[in-house]
PDB file of all heavy atoms in Angstrom:
ATOM      1  N   PHE A  79       4.095 -14.748   0.856  1.00  0.00           N
ATOM      2  CA  PHE A  79       4.374 -13.907  -0.252  1.00  0.00           C
ATOM      3  C   PHE A  79       4.655 -14.694  -1.485  1.00  0.00           C
ATOM      4  O   PHE A  79       5.729 -15.265  -1.588  1.00  0.00           O
ATOM      5  CB  PHE A  79       5.528 -12.902   0.134  1.00  0.00           C
ATOM      6  CG  PHE A  79       4.978 -11.685   0.965  1.00  0.00           C
ATOM      7  CD1 PHE A  79       4.479 -12.009   2.257  1.00  0.00           C
ATOM      8  CD2 PHE A  79       4.919 -10.514   0.552  1.00  0.00           C
ATOM      9  CE1 PHE A  79       4.007 -10.915   3.095  1.00  0.00           C
ATOM     10  CE2 PHE A  79       4.503  -9.393   1.257  1.00  0.00           C
ATOM     11  CZ  PHE A  79       4.005  -9.643   2.551  1.00  0.00           C
ATOM     12  N   ASN A  82       7.624 -11.101  -5.046  1.00  0.00           N
ATOM     13  CA  ASN A  82       8.755 -10.515  -4.267  1.00  0.00           C
ATOM     14  C   ASN A  82       8.305  -9.294  -3.625  1.00  0.00           C
ATOM     15  O   ASN A  82       7.368  -8.540  -3.966  1.00  0.00           O
ATOM     16  CB  ASN A  82       9.898 -10.081  -5.332  1.00  0.00           C
ATOM     17  CG  ASN A  82      10.555 -11.249  -5.991  1.00  0.00           C
ATOM     18  OD1 ASN A  82      10.274 -12.414  -5.586  1.00  0.00           O
ATOM     19  ND2 ASN A  82      11.287 -11.033  -6.985  1.00  0.00           N
ATOM     20  N   SER A  83       9.006  -9.045  -2.534  1.00  0.00           N
ATOM     21  CA  SER A  83       8.637  -7.859  -1.619  1.00  0.00           C
ATOM     22  C   SER A  83       9.869  -7.596  -0.732  1.00  0.00           C
ATOM     23  O   SER A  83      10.554  -8.511  -0.252  1.00  0.00           O
ATOM     24  CB  SER A  83       7.432  -8.147  -0.771  1.00  0.00           C
ATOM     25  OG  SER A  83       7.239  -7.170   0.173  1.00  0.00           O
ATOM     26  N   THR A  84      10.175  -6.319  -0.548  1.00  0.00           N
ATOM     27  CA  THR A  84      11.168  -5.895   0.511  1.00  0.00           C
ATOM     28  C   THR A  84      10.390  -5.256   1.695  1.00  0.00           C
ATOM     29  O   THR A  84      10.291  -5.705   2.764  1.00  0.00           O
ATOM     30  CB  THR A  84      12.216  -4.940  -0.026  1.00  0.00           C
ATOM     31  OG1 THR A  84      12.927  -5.685  -1.113  1.00  0.00           O
ATOM     32  CG2 THR A  84      13.160  -4.449   0.968  1.00  0.00           C
ATOM     33  N   ARG A  85       9.833  -4.061   1.350  1.00  0.00           N
ATOM     34  CA  ARG A  85       9.062  -3.262   2.365  1.00  0.00           C
ATOM     35  C   ARG A  85       7.893  -3.918   2.977  1.00  0.00           C
ATOM     36  O   ARG A  85       7.852  -4.022   4.260  1.00  0.00           O
ATOM     37  CB  ARG A  85       8.597  -1.996   1.724  1.00  0.00           C
ATOM     38  CG  ARG A  85       9.553  -0.887   1.409  1.00  0.00           C
ATOM     39  CD  ARG A  85       9.198  -0.133   0.159  1.00  0.00           C
ATOM     40  NE  ARG A  85       9.564  -0.965  -0.975  1.00  0.00           N
ATOM     41  CZ  ARG A  85      10.680  -0.906  -1.552  1.00  0.00           C
ATOM     42  NH1 ARG A  85      11.547   0.058  -1.203  1.00  0.00           N
ATOM     43  NH2 ARG A  85      10.956  -1.705  -2.590  1.00  0.00           N
ATOM     44  N   THR A  86       7.035  -4.546   2.249  1.00  0.00           N
ATOM     45  CA  THR A  86       5.732  -5.034   2.841  1.00  0.00           C
ATOM     46  C   THR A  86       6.011  -6.256   3.682  1.00  0.00           C
ATOM     47  O   THR A  86       5.598  -6.347   4.880  1.00  0.00           O
ATOM     48  CB  THR A  86       4.780  -5.380   1.751  1.00  0.00           C
ATOM     49  OG1 THR A  86       4.713  -4.302   0.850  1.00  0.00           O
ATOM     50  CG2 THR A  86       3.420  -5.598   2.321  1.00  0.00           C
ATOM     51  N   GLN A  87       6.861  -7.177   3.203  1.00  0.00           N
ATOM     52  CA  GLN A  87       7.153  -8.337   3.963  1.00  0.00           C
ATOM     53  C   GLN A  87       7.919  -8.043   5.215  1.00  0.00           C
ATOM     54  O   GLN A  87       7.634  -8.538   6.300  1.00  0.00           O
ATOM     55  CB  GLN A  87       7.939  -9.417   3.061  1.00  0.00           C
ATOM     56  CG  GLN A  87       8.159 -10.689   3.920  1.00  0.00           C
ATOM     57  CD  GLN A  87       8.376 -11.965   3.095  1.00  0.00           C
ATOM     58  OE1 GLN A  87       8.413 -11.880   1.893  1.00  0.00           O
ATOM     59  NE2 GLN A  87       8.608 -13.006   3.806  1.00  0.00           N
ATOM     60  N   ARG A 135       0.400 -11.981  -0.090  1.00  0.00           N
ATOM     61  CA  ARG A 135       0.581 -11.332  -1.411  1.00  0.00           C
ATOM     62  C   ARG A 135       0.496 -12.343  -2.532  1.00  0.00           C
ATOM     63  O   ARG A 135       1.171 -13.375  -2.481  1.00  0.00           O
ATOM     64  CB  ARG A 135       1.982 -10.518  -1.382  1.00  0.00           C
ATOM     65  CG  ARG A 135       2.299  -9.963  -2.831  1.00  0.00           C
ATOM     66  CD  ARG A 135       3.500  -9.084  -2.817  1.00  0.00           C
ATOM     67  NE  ARG A 135       3.186  -7.804  -2.208  1.00  0.00           N
ATOM     68  CZ  ARG A 135       3.973  -6.735  -2.277  1.00  0.00           C
ATOM     69  NH1 ARG A 135       5.152  -6.856  -2.805  1.00  0.00           N
ATOM     70  NH2 ARG A 135       3.653  -5.622  -1.655  1.00  0.00           N
ATOM     71  N   ALA A 156      -1.826  -8.228   1.329  1.00  0.00           N
ATOM     72  CA  ALA A 156      -0.491  -7.452   1.229  1.00  0.00           C
ATOM     73  C   ALA A 156      -0.265  -7.117  -0.269  1.00  0.00           C
ATOM     74  O   ALA A 156       0.882  -6.897  -0.686  1.00  0.00           O
ATOM     75  CB  ALA A 156       0.636  -8.292   1.788  1.00  0.00           C
ATOM     76  N   HIS A 163      -3.857  -2.901  -2.664  1.00  0.00           N
ATOM     77  CA  HIS A 163      -2.778  -3.005  -1.717  1.00  0.00           C
ATOM     78  C   HIS A 163      -3.146  -2.084  -0.500  1.00  0.00           C
ATOM     79  O   HIS A 163      -2.668  -0.951  -0.406  1.00  0.00           O
ATOM     80  CB  HIS A 163      -1.423  -2.492  -2.359  1.00  0.00           C
ATOM     81  CG  HIS A 163      -0.239  -2.786  -1.598  1.00  0.00           C
ATOM     82  ND1 HIS A 163      -0.121  -3.211  -0.309  1.00  0.00           N
ATOM     83  CD2 HIS A 163       1.098  -2.696  -2.054  1.00  0.00           C
ATOM     84  CE1 HIS A 163       1.097  -3.413   0.071  1.00  0.00           C
ATOM     85  NE2 HIS A 163       1.940  -3.073  -1.030  1.00  0.00           N
ATOM     86  N   GLN A 166      -0.752  -0.308   1.889  1.00  0.00           N
ATOM     87  CA  GLN A 166       0.059   0.719   1.300  1.00  0.00           C
ATOM     88  C   GLN A 166      -0.629   2.052   1.300  1.00  0.00           C
ATOM     89  O   GLN A 166      -0.134   3.097   1.638  1.00  0.00           O
ATOM     90  CB  GLN A 166       0.436   0.376  -0.118  1.00  0.00           C
ATOM     91  CG  GLN A 166       1.288   1.383  -0.823  1.00  0.00           C
ATOM     92  CD  GLN A 166       2.713   1.561  -0.275  1.00  0.00           C
ATOM     93  OE1 GLN A 166       3.399   0.569   0.014  1.00  0.00           O
ATOM     94  NE2 GLN A 166       3.194   2.787  -0.161  1.00  0.00           N
ATOM     95  N   ARG A 196      -1.835  -1.600  -8.209  1.00  0.00           N
ATOM     96  CA  ARG A 196      -2.860  -1.777  -7.164  1.00  0.00           C
ATOM     97  C   ARG A 196      -2.654  -0.670  -6.161  1.00  0.00           C
ATOM     98  O   ARG A 196      -3.663  -0.319  -5.390  1.00  0.00           O
ATOM     99  CB  ARG A 196      -2.677  -3.179  -6.573  1.00  0.00           C
ATOM    100  CG  ARG A 196      -1.255  -3.399  -6.042  1.00  0.00           C
ATOM    101  CD  ARG A 196      -0.928  -4.902  -5.863  1.00  0.00           C
ATOM    102  NE  ARG A 196       0.377  -5.125  -5.455  1.00  0.00           N
ATOM    103  CZ  ARG A 196       0.955  -6.374  -5.680  1.00  0.00           C
ATOM    104  NH1 ARG A 196       0.362  -7.324  -6.273  1.00  0.00           N
ATOM    105  NH2 ARG A 196       2.227  -6.588  -5.205  1.00  0.00           N
ATOM    106  N   VAL A 197      -1.467  -0.082  -6.054  1.00  0.00           N
ATOM    107  CA  VAL A 197      -1.276   1.048  -5.144  1.00  0.00           C
ATOM    108  C   VAL A 197      -2.125   2.208  -5.595  1.00  0.00           C
ATOM    109  O   VAL A 197      -2.727   2.842  -4.757  1.00  0.00           O
ATOM    110  CB  VAL A 197       0.230   1.447  -5.119  1.00  0.00           C
ATOM    111  CG1 VAL A 197       0.464   2.650  -4.272  1.00  0.00           C
ATOM    112  CG2 VAL A 197       1.040   0.268  -4.544  1.00  0.00           C
ATOM    113  N   ARG A 250       6.133   3.111 -10.178  1.00  0.00           N
ATOM    114  CA  ARG A 250       7.029   2.394 -11.016  1.00  0.00           C
ATOM    115  C   ARG A 250       6.315   1.773 -12.281  1.00  0.00           C
ATOM    116  O   ARG A 250       5.128   1.479 -12.191  1.00  0.00           O
ATOM    117  CB  ARG A 250       7.481   1.175 -10.105  1.00  0.00           C
ATOM    118  CG  ARG A 250       8.427   0.296 -10.681  1.00  0.00           C
ATOM    119  CD  ARG A 250       8.939  -0.793  -9.621  1.00  0.00           C
ATOM    120  NE  ARG A 250       7.768  -1.642  -9.221  1.00  0.00           N
ATOM    121  CZ  ARG A 250       7.594  -2.823  -9.725  1.00  0.00           C
ATOM    122  NH1 ARG A 250       8.290  -3.296 -10.792  1.00  0.00           N
ATOM    123  NH2 ARG A 250       6.654  -3.630  -9.339  1.00  0.00           N
ATOM    124  N   HIS A 289       6.597   7.823  -3.077  1.00  0.00           N
ATOM    125  CA  HIS A 289       6.812   6.703  -4.023  1.00  0.00           C
ATOM    126  C   HIS A 289       6.649   5.480  -3.105  1.00  0.00           C
ATOM    127  O   HIS A 289       7.401   5.354  -2.062  1.00  0.00           O
ATOM    128  CB  HIS A 289       8.137   6.803  -4.623  1.00  0.00           C
ATOM    129  CG  HIS A 289       8.372   5.821  -5.819  1.00  0.00           C
ATOM    130  ND1 HIS A 289       8.070   4.531  -5.789  1.00  0.00           N
ATOM    131  CD2 HIS A 289       8.751   6.077  -7.013  1.00  0.00           C
ATOM    132  CE1 HIS A 289       8.306   4.001  -6.944  1.00  0.00           C
ATOM    133  NE2 HIS A 289       8.704   4.912  -7.769  1.00  0.00           N
ATOM    134  N   PRO A 290       5.836   4.435  -3.537  1.00  0.00           N
ATOM    135  CA  PRO A 290       5.646   3.314  -2.627  1.00  0.00           C
ATOM    136  C   PRO A 290       6.874   2.377  -2.652  1.00  0.00           C
ATOM    137  O   PRO A 290       7.062   1.542  -1.763  1.00  0.00           O
ATOM    138  CB  PRO A 290       4.451   2.562  -3.389  1.00  0.00           C
ATOM    139  CG  PRO A 290       4.413   3.034  -4.794  1.00  0.00           C
ATOM    140  CD  PRO A 290       4.981   4.432  -4.756  1.00  0.00           C
ATOM    141  N   GLY A 291       7.788   2.566  -3.707  1.00  0.00           N
ATOM    142  CA  GLY A 291       8.870   1.662  -3.829  1.00  0.00           C
ATOM    143  C   GLY A 291       8.433   0.351  -4.435  1.00  0.00           C
ATOM    144  O   GLY A 291       7.325  -0.054  -4.300  1.00  0.00           O
ATOM    145  N   PRO A 292       9.382  -0.443  -4.945  1.00  0.00           N
ATOM    146  CA  PRO A 292      10.750  -0.023  -5.242  1.00  0.00           C
ATOM    147  C   PRO A 292      10.823   1.049  -6.390  1.00  0.00           C
ATOM    148  O   PRO A 292      10.052   1.001  -7.295  1.00  0.00           O
ATOM    149  CB  PRO A 292      11.410  -1.338  -5.655  1.00  0.00           C
ATOM    150  CG  PRO A 292      10.320  -2.230  -6.230  1.00  0.00           C
ATOM    151  CD  PRO A 292       9.022  -1.754  -5.486  1.00  0.00           C
ATOM    152  N   ARG A 323       0.928  -1.209   9.857  1.00  0.00           N
ATOM    153  CA  ARG A 323       0.661  -2.603   9.920  1.00  0.00           C
ATOM    154  C   ARG A 323       0.498  -3.103  11.376  1.00  0.00           C
ATOM    155  O   ARG A 323      -0.335  -4.020  11.634  1.00  0.00           O
ATOM    156  CB  ARG A 323       1.773  -3.397   9.235  1.00  0.00           C
ATOM    157  CG  ARG A 323       1.583  -3.290   7.715  1.00  0.00           C
ATOM    158  CD  ARG A 323       2.711  -3.289   6.854  1.00  0.00           C
ATOM    159  NE  ARG A 323       2.292  -3.031   5.422  1.00  0.00           N
ATOM    160  CZ  ARG A 323       3.006  -2.362   4.550  1.00  0.00           C
ATOM    161  NH1 ARG A 323       4.205  -1.832   4.851  1.00  0.00           N
ATOM    162  NH2 ARG A 323       2.490  -2.062   3.367  1.00  0.00           N
TER     163      ARG A 323
HETATM  164  N1   CP B 425       5.480  -0.782  -1.763  1.00  0.00           N
HETATM  165  C1   CP B 425       5.685  -2.130  -1.789  1.00  0.00           C
HETATM  166  O1   CP B 425       4.657  -2.930  -1.817  1.00  0.00           O
HETATM  167  O2   CP B 425       6.950  -2.563  -1.829  1.00  0.00           O
HETATM  168  P1   CP B 425       7.483  -4.036  -1.779  1.00  0.00           P
HETATM  169  O3   CP B 425       7.140  -4.647  -3.100  1.00  0.00           O
HETATM  170  O4   CP B 425       8.982  -3.946  -1.561  1.00  0.00           O
HETATM  171  O5   CP B 425       6.893  -4.786  -0.609  1.00  0.00           O
END
Side-chain angles (χ1 to χ4, degrees):
F79 279 65
N82 293 350
S83 170
T84 297
R85 281 146 283 269
T86 314
Q87 180 159 3
R135 170 171 287 189
H163 191 348
Q166 180 69 46
R196 55 197 176 206
V197 173
R250 178 176 69 88
H289 194 307
R323 284 152 186 146

